[in-house]
Amino acid sequence: LRLAHADHWRRRVVTGRGGERYQFHCACLPDRAFHDLLDRILGHPSDHDGREAPDVPLPQAVLADAPPAPSAITAPSWVLPLLRVMRTQDAPSLPLALADLPQRLPAGVRCPSPDEAARVLRELGFVA
């Protein structure tokens, strides 16, 4: 929490049992923590090389005052691996990330088309 405040992470305040809490988006996490989180979600270790990741813009839903509806926070299973690829690129580029994505997807997950990837990333607020 100290790091989040010191680095001015964007957050939203939610009220629940016990009072108000901060919610931070995973894009705010430092590189190692981001990759460790993805490892836990995806159930397999990463192969990132430890380079510092470029900044990734936060989804607008994260910045809203009200919590998003459950359907607003679901995403295809290729989104997290794609974000990992984009964070490890020197200059994040969707076409380059999509070229590298198939070998990083979990078994049985299909690679999106460029149009589908752009649409979903735009809906999630990661691209303008």
Side-chain angles (χ1 to χ4, degrees):
L1 192 55
R2 283 190 297 251
L3 177 64
H5 288 294
D7 289 346
H8 305 288
W9 291 5
R10 290 178 148 181
R11 65 176 188 248
R12 70 176 175 191
V13 178
V14 295
T15 304
R17 283 191 272 178
E20 291 183 340
R21 292 188 169 77
Y22 295 128
Q23 288 185 345
F24 301 97
H25 191 270
C26 66
C28 295
L29 294 171
D31 194 45
R32 183 174 175 180
F34 175 82
H35 289 289
D36 287 345
L37 175 64
L38 290 185
D39 291 343
R40 289 179 184 200
I41 293 170
L42 298 174
H44 59 80
S46 69
D47 57 357
H48 71 283
D49 59 9
R51 289 181 288 163
E52 275 301 309
D55 289 333
V56 177
L58 292 174
Q60 291 302 311
V62 172
L63 307 177
D65 290 334
S71 62
I73 59 172
T74 59
S77 36
W78 51 260
V79 170
L80 293 176
L82 179 62
L83 292 178
R84 171 177 276 162
V85 171
M86 292 180 76
R87 280 187 66 130
T88 58
Q89 291 178 339
D90 289 325
S93 155
L94 186 56
L96 291 175
L98 287 173
D100 195 27
L101 183 61
Q103 64 211 24
R104 298 173 187 243
L105 289 174
V109 175
R110 68 168 183 78
C111 190
S113 70
D115 290 338
E116 179 185 12
R119 180 184 52 77
V120 170
L121 291 177
R122 192 174 306 108
E123 288 172 1
L124 294 174
F126 282 101
V127 294

